[in-house]
Amino acid sequence: MLANILLVFIPVIAMGALSYFKFSDAIESKSSHFYSISLLETDRKLKFALSEITTITSSAMTQPVIQQALKNPNQIPSYDMKQEINNLLIHHPMIEAFAFYAQNRLVYSYNMQDALTDLRRQPWHAKMEAAEGRPVWSGPEENGSAAAGRPALVHARIVKDYYSLENIGSIVIYMKPDLLDQVFWETATLEKGNILLASRDGSIVYDKSGEHIGERVDFPFLQEGVPSEKNYYIDRYLNVKSLITFIPSHNPEWRLIAITPTKSLQAESIPLRNTALLLGVFSLLTALAFDRFYVRRLVRSISSTVGGMRRVEQRNFTLIPGSGQPHDESDMLVHGFNRMSSQIQDLLKQVEAEQSLKKEAELQALVAQINPHFIYNSLESINSMAVLQGNKDISRMVVSLGRLLRISISENKELIPLSTEFEHVRHYLNIQKFRFEDQFEYELDLPEQLGGYMTQKLIVQPLVENALYHAIEPMKMLGKIRIRASEGANELWIDVIDNGPGFDASVLASLWDRDYQAEVKKYKDSGVGLRNVHERLRIRFGQPYGMMICSSPETGSIIRLRVPKIKP
């Protein structure tokens, strides 16, 4: 039971949990990537909107009417000058109010109910002076507009003399809240998500929900020197666990932040988690049923089989009781063991019978070993008598026959040197010379370096015998037989060449037919012949080794053997 839980239940639960966490991580990563693209596009729009205001103020600061008003702060601007100044700035729909200061003194303001009396006390004043004419933007909390109940974005910058570039004053512009609303309106968010624009000191410059403008936040990435490998992480915001994605704005003092509750992200993964739990419960129930109805039965069958094996070791072949026809694996196991036990019992009886026959065969073989010695001794006696009577032909024939028989009968090895095989052929041809007399002549061509290679025994003599009986014997003219050996890269070639009438096409085609007996009947009784040689080479050496015949009527024949190079 425990094994089933370990093998089935735990892997399913582990795989389900791993899939759930992997899916959750993938959702977080994809959501962060989605927000990164959305925030980058929002920052691009923000940069365009703020650059437009910067362009307007840069153009206005260089106009003579503003230069003159700031250079003469004690002179009250005339009505025409005020109209001209207003025309330079208020044509932009997002500029709500503005004011010009010279030497920390208000020179002129538009639509400002409470103009700033002392710029030096403003928290953004030091940044403005350090910027040397570049615009400085401050949020509602920093410029105090949030505390007054009218949060606004302030644009402030130093105004320089057009010719001497000396500081002659400053300009402060209050932007309408609609400016940031238009920028962030189309920013895509997930369900219940929010977008923040925060400064590096933690004040919220803008909040898309409109509920937290001017408040302060404490995110780790707002602090300088805090490393961040990824641009997103999971943390609590307003006591809600959320995915926080952030990117730096084009303004180095700001950060764009996207916040999405993790519950919204996990809404898609909850069905996956529930499915994994259901699969786990289903797997557990399946494992219990599998153990109850199958595993226990299989274990009983295995135990019975193990007991049967122990009995077989003691040569007790009692069969295991079964249910008759096998229906499942446990029945097949018992049925197979019973069949194997019966076969082993039969094999043991067969082996015992064969051992008895083998002993008889060994005794007969010992008796048969006397026969070759009797043959050699008889041939030696005949040779002695021929020498005494001066019959040299009979003596030479007996000597060749003795050596021929000694190679054929006495060699117990299947592989012999090629030189020995050629010597066997030479003795065979010498004996045939006494029969055919001057009807044929032969030539043996064996290069000295090839004589030491090993080859299968009795593969050349059947080819020579075929040439004698089927090529030389029917001829009226002098027959010629040439046996030569040559070498290739990894093989030896042995050719038997005759000048006989050649093979008939039908005979050559039927030579490989298994039913073909007529042409080789002469050699069938001795177990040799062309087909025999070919099959022996194929069996021992495999393809591509064997025999090839090249022949046509009245042009002679070439029978080639291909064997591998085998060193002793």
Side-chain angles (χ1 to χ4, degrees), residues 496-539:
V496 177
I497 308 169
D498 65 69
N499 63 341
F503 283 85
D504 185 75
S506 59
V507 174
L508 196 61
S510 62
L511 186 62
W512 308 113
D513 188 354
R514 292 187 180 274
D515 297 329
Y516 174 71
Q517 298 292 339
E519 288 297 322
V520 294
K521 188 174 188 306
K522 184 179 297 185
Y523 314 109
K524 186 173 184 297
D525 296 337
S526 60
V528 291
L530 300 184
R531 183 181 180 83
N532 180 284
V533 172
H534 177 70
E535 290 182 349
R536 285 168 58 211
L537 292 176
R538 280 294 175 90
I539 291 172

Side-chain angles (χ1 to χ4, degrees), residues 471-489:
I472 304 302
E473 188 175 16
M475 292 177 59
K476 302 298 182 181
M477 56 184 293
L478 178 66
K480 294 182 181 181
I481 298 177
R482 183 185 180 193
I483 302 97
R484 69 183 180 190
S486 58
E487 64 177 325

Side-chain angles (χ1 to χ4, degrees), residues 365-381 406 409-410:
L366 290 174
V367 175
Q369 287 180 359
I370 301 172
N371 293 336
H373 295 287
F374 172 75
I375 294 173
Y376 298 149
N377 292 335
S378 299
L379 290 175
E380 187 63 30
S381 298
R406 197 172 291 275
I409 299 175
S410 300

Side-chain angles (χ1 to χ4, degrees), residues 421-438:
E421 179 71 8
F422 267 64
E423 181 184 359
H424 178 266
V425 173
R426 181 170 61 81
H427 290 308
Y428 172 76
L429 289 172
N430 287 339
I431 293 173
Q432 294 296 338
K433 266 289 193 179
F434 289 102
R435 176 190 171 187
F436 289 94
E437 296 181 348
D438 295 331

Side-chain angles (χ1 to χ4, degrees), residues 237-256:
Y237 175 71
L238 299 178
N239 294 323
V240 177
K241 189 177 181 182
S242 304
L243 172 67
I244 301 174
T245 307
F246 59 92
I247 65 168
S249 174
H250 73 281
N251 187 335
E253 297 295 323
W254 291 344
R255 297 291 185 271
L256 285 160

Side-chain angles (χ1 to χ4, degrees), residues 189-204:
T189 60
L190 298 176
E191 184 180 0
K192 297 182 181 180
N194 194 16
I195 304 294
L196 302 180
L197 178 64
S199 62
R200 289 171 57 180
D201 61 1
S203 63
I204 298 178

